[in-house]
Amino acid sequence: MGQRTQAAGGCLAMALGWGAGLAVWSVDVRSRFWRFEQAPDWRVLYAELPLALLGGTVAGLALWAVLSRLRGSR
């Protein structure tokens, strides 16, 4: 596998991981942001969202690294 293919695979894995992190974060976000009879909880945006995106990116790149290692060992 060429270097360009590996680089494209890594970028694709990162983008898919980012999307997966965003999808997981968006589940029931409205109820987490607007608590019952309280002000908005801004931690949902400035703490949870970046962590979800970072976690998804790390998971995607870790999966890509494992699959790349397994494919290279054959």
Side-chain angles (χ1 to χ4, degrees):
M1 188 176 348
Q3 287 182 345
R4 288 184 180 179
T5 306
Q6 286 182 340
C11 289
L12 181 62
M14 185 212 51
L16 290 175
W18 192 83
L22 184 61
V24 168
W25 174 81
S26 67
V27 172
D28 202 29
V29 71
R30 181 172 285 173
S31 67
R32 287 194 324 256
F33 187 68
W34 289 101
R35 304 287 183 201
F36 181 72
E37 292 186 5
Q38 292 180 358
D41 187 8
W42 293 103
R43 289 179 298 177
V44 172
L45 294 177
Y46 71 79
E48 289 182 15
L49 179 59
L51 287 175
L53 295 177
L54 182 65
T57 303
V58 168
L61 289 177
L63 180 64
W64 171 78
V66 167
L67 292 176
S68 177
R69 175 70 64 149
L70 290 176
R71 178 172 275 204
S73 66
R74 289 188 205 175

